Amino acid sequence: MLAEYLEVIEAIGLNLFFAFIFIFIGLSIHDVMKKNDVPKMGQIVVYFVLVLGCVGFIAKGVIQFIWESQGVG
């Protein structure tokens, strides 16, 4: 049974790994900005770029899922 779902388990594990990496990157960026007294506008720009990266990664996953379910990829 495990061999049948190995690909699904790997995909879920990889997505969780990337989610934790994004969280740790966000926490480390937050810590560095607080220690260096970055202005609010700079913080907003940095968080906006980080969120755009996360959204792009999620959009890539959704597009890949849709294409694979339709037999394109």
Side-chain angles (χ1 to χ4, degrees):
M1 180 169 165
L2 183 61
E4 297 171 2
Y5 297 110
L6 188 61
E7 189 173 325
V8 174
I9 293 170
E10 287 177 356
I12 291 171
L14 186 63
N15 288 334
L16 288 175
F17 171 74
F18 284 137
F20 285 124
I21 291 295
F22 276 121
I23 290 169
F24 289 137
I25 288 171
L27 289 174
S28 63
I29 288 172
H30 176 74
D31 184 48
V32 168
M33 286 193 301
K34 288 299 177 186
K35 285 182 180 177
N36 292 322
D37 294 328
V38 176
K40 276 289 187 198
M41 188 60 186
Q43 290 179 6
I44 291 170
V45 169
V46 169
Y47 286 132
F48 180 70
V49 170
L50 184 63
V51 167
L52 279 180
C54 293
V55 169
F57 180 74
I58 292 169
K60 175 215 165 257
V62 170
I63 292 169
Q64 182 179 4
F65 176 75
I66 292 171
W67 281 10
E68 288 177 355
S69 66
Q70 293 178 351
V72 175

